[in-house]
Amino acid sequence: MVVLAPVLLISFVLLLMQHTPASASGGGLLAGGRRWGPRAVDDGSTKYAVVFDAGSSGSRVHVYCFDGNLDLVPIGKEIELFKQKKPGLSAYAKDPQEAAESLVSLLEEAEKVVPVELREQTPVRVGATAGLRALGTERSEEILQAVRDLLRDKSSFKSQPDWVTVLDGSQEGAFQWVTINYVLGKLGKPYSNTVGVVDLGGGSVQMAYAISEKDAAKAPEVADGEDSYVKKLLLKGTTYYLYVHSYLHYGLLAARAEILKASEGNDYNNCMLEGHHGMVACFFNHLGKYKYGDDTFEASGSSSGASYSKCRALAVRALKVDEPACTHMKCTFSGVWNGGGGDGQKNLFVASFFFDRAAEAGFVNPKAAVAKVKPSDFEEAARRVCKLNVKDAQATYPDVSEENIPYLCIDLVYQYTLLVDGFGVDPYQDITLVKKIPYSNSFVEAAWPLGSALEVASSS
């Protein structure tokens, strides 16, 4: 299967506010003319689209309904159907059939909200992200094939084999940027009025923001097979040059492994809470170990406890901030060009695990949809947490799940380090943590599937 190439990503945007008649072939065109999914169904006034986000930490299903102007229409009392479950598909690396079966309950929830007469015309997409990318081609393809078979045999929605695929990181980041700017009503405005997006998943982290045409012209060439740094998009009649890059191995769960891997001797325990010896979780096989993918790392705490400053030094080392391979004037980390900065990055929306950990650490209301914070808030929280042992951390942060308690110090340290040292955000710059975004009288999940659903809906 040809990997999605996003050079002409989201050509649907020509239609976002200029809704033209459907072509005979239907489908949303991506780079290279590849089509991912059929036209969304149109019953005369509404269209439905179903998108599965098969992430590394869990699977989620989104069902959207659009009117003729591509505005979201409520589904029941909510603006979308959103359901999720854990673990993700990559947790079933050795059992593809079980991986596919894990989506059944989500599929059933989606079918409940789409009218019976429209289900067989409603497109269903499955986009797997960093978790499956990390498994390698053979294993991920086995799981994808099992999912295709499931949709063919047990789903009432319209599906085709190539509508179930692994998203490349830049596609995921671009769809996320479209989602947030669409909901905020920014599309069609000058690039300086748009917001930048950082999406921290379990296996990868994406940065996307609009840059000037002048900065876009400075984008370094990339090696064959790699995603280009800049995507040219036409959204609501406005041309945008979108800087987007996905950092595989630097999502929150993957970064734990990178930090532990970067340790020398047993200094990994500077990031682990005292008393972490006897807790059992799905991420490690036995006591004091952390398992990610096929690798297992020492992760026990020491009697002296964690150290914020020493753990931060490990996080900086893992990010390769001073990577010698950086041949550009400005880099983020690991030798990656930073896009040049500018107005499109000054208003930053930060999603996924950033919001989750902030809420669990107590400096964001977990019931809020959006919150204004500063990177320094993560630093302050990390300093408090790293002083605790496992028992005290459990008592202090009851909203943190048992398997994540030992990693609360390393997670918060990493998030601060990623923002400040990795992406060069000022520690005291205001950023917006976002879980859901207000839309009309409801809220929309701040996730890439809406961008994907818009792409398929706009082609009809």
Side-chain angles (χ1 to χ4, degrees):
M1 181 182 65
V2 177
V3 176
L4 292 172
V7 176
L8 298 178
L9 181 66
I10 324 168
S11 60
F12 73 91
V13 296
L14 282 167
L15 304 168
L16 272 176
M17 292 299 287
Q18 306 165 27
H19 198 56
T20 56
S23 65
S25 58
L29 285 176
L30 297 179
R34 187 179 185 279
R35 300 179 185 277
W36 186 33
R39 293 185 299 174
V41 63
D42 189 342
D43 66 355
S45 60
T46 58
K47 321 159 192 280
Y48 288 86
V50 179
V51 181
F52 280 85
D53 174 4
S56 59
S57 60
S59 297
R60 307 111 188 158
V61 66
H62 300 254
V63 181
Y64 303 100
C65 184
F66 300 98
D67 65 15
N69 295 318
L70 291 183
D71 290 326
L72 287 169
V73 176
I75 296 177
K77 295 181 179 180
E78 303 295 333
I79 201 69
E80 67 172 319
L81 172 78
F82 171 71
K83 298 290 182 180
Q84 61 182 327
K85 66 180 298 185
K86 296 181 179 181
L89 295 180
S90 57
Y92 306 97
K94 297 181 180 180
D95 193 339
Q97 187 59 39
E98 187 177 1
E101 292 292 334
S102 73
L103 301 181
V104 169
S105 62
L106 297 178
L107 184 63
E108 291 172 346
E109 292 289 340
E111 290 178 328
K112 290 178 184 177
V113 300
V114 177
V116 174
E117 66 274 17
L118 299 179
R119 289 177 189 168
E120 66 178 15
Q121 303 172 58
T122 296
V124 56
R125 294 179 166 188
V126 179
T129 55
L132 253 61
R133 288 198 293 266
L135 287 183
T137 303
E138 184 175 351
R139 283 190 177 181
S140 64
E141 182 55 33
E142 289 175 351
I143 291 175
L144 293 176
Q145 186 56 51
V147 172
R148 294 179 189 118
D149 294 342
L150 173 77
L151 294 178
R152 181 194 64 209
D153 299 335
K154 297 185 178 181
S155 170
S156 59
F157 296 129
K158 188 165 186 171
S159 66
Q160 291 291 340
D162 61 350
W163 303 340
V164 179
T165 187
V166 176
L167 292 183
D168 64 73
S170 63
Q171 175 115 29
E172 184 182 352
F175 276 145
Q176 177 83 339
W177 184 86
V178 171
T179 291
I180 291 179
N181 282 280
Y182 164 85
V183 177
L184 292 175
K186 301 289 186 180
L187 299 184
K189 297 180 179 180
Y191 88 92
S192 57
N193 289 6
T194 62
V195 304
V197 175
V198 176
D199 185 29
L200 181 63
S204 64
V205 59
Q206 282 73 236
M207 163 71 86
Y209 67 96
I211 63 177
S212 67
E213 184 175 2
K214 181 179 178 181
D215 281 338
K218 299 176 183 177
E221 295 292 330
V222 296
D224 290 342
E226 294 184 4
D227 296 325
S228 60
Y229 282 111
V230 179
K231 319 302 174 191
K232 185 177 180 180
L233 312 178
L234 183 59
L235 300 161
K236 291 189 178 181
T238 301
T239 298
Y240 295 99
Y241 297 90
L242 186 66
Y243 166 82
V244 56
H245 190 80
S246 179
Y247 301 78
L248 188 59
H249 307 306
Y250 288 102
L252 191 69
L253 306 183
R256 293 175 183 173
E258 293 300 313
I259 292 172
L260 295 172
K261 189 190 306 182
S263 66
E264 297 175 351
N266 64 350
D267 64 355
Y268 61 83
N269 55 33
N270 289 315
C271 291
M272 305 306 303
L273 298 189
E274 177 190 355
H276 174 45
H277 302 293
M279 300 182 69
V280 179
C282 62
F283 295 116
F284 45 93
N285 288 330
H286 42 90
L287 308 184
K289 305 286 186 181
Y290 178 72
K291 186 176 188 301
Y292 185 78
D294 292 330
D295 298 320
T296 302
F297 304 90
E298 292 291 336
S300 58
S302 70
S303 58
S304 59
S307 164
Y308 168 80
S309 59
K310 292 178 180 179
C311 184
R312 182 153 150 66
L314 270 180
V316 170
R317 189 189 307 167
L319 282 175
K320 303 173 184 173
V321 173
D322 298 319
E323 177 66 55
C326 178
T327 58
H328 322 305
M329 287 186 65
K330 295 181 179 180
C331 288
T332 50
F333 57 94
S334 294
V336 175
W337 182 55
N338 74 350
D343 289 342
Q345 191 185 29
K346 66 183 180 182
N347 193 356
L348 205 57
F349 274 59
V350 181
S352 301
F353 271 121
F354 275 111
F355 187 98
D356 297 339
R357 287 295 179 271
E360 292 168 347
F363 62 92
V364 165
N365 181 354
K367 295 182 180 180
V370 178
K372 288 283 188 181
V373 300
K374 296 176 173 61
S376 59
D377 292 326
F378 286 92
E379 178 189 28
E380 292 172 8
R383 288 184 181 276
R384 290 193 297 270
V385 169
C386 294
K387 294 177 180 178
L388 303 177
N389 58 35
V390 168
K391 183 177 180 181
D392 289 341
Q394 286 176 316
T396 306
Y397 303 102
D399 293 331
V400 181
S401 61
E402 183 178 352
E403 67 266 23
N404 284 326
I405 278 287
Y407 303 99
L408 193 54
C409 171
I410 194 173
D411 287 353
L412 290 167
V413 167
Y414 173 66
Q415 288 177 320
Y416 175 71
T417 306
L418 176 63
L419 288 172
V420 174
D421 297 272
F423 292 132
V425 180
D426 186 282
Y428 302 102
Q429 175 182 328
D430 285 331
I431 60 176
T432 302
L433 294 186
V434 57
K435 185 76 171 178
K436 296 184 178 182
I437 308 175
Y439 182 91
S440 186
N441 296 319
S442 190
F443 292 90
V444 178
E445 288 287 326
W448 66 262
L450 176 54
S452 171
L454 280 163
E455 192 275 338
V456 70
S458 69
S459 63
S460 63

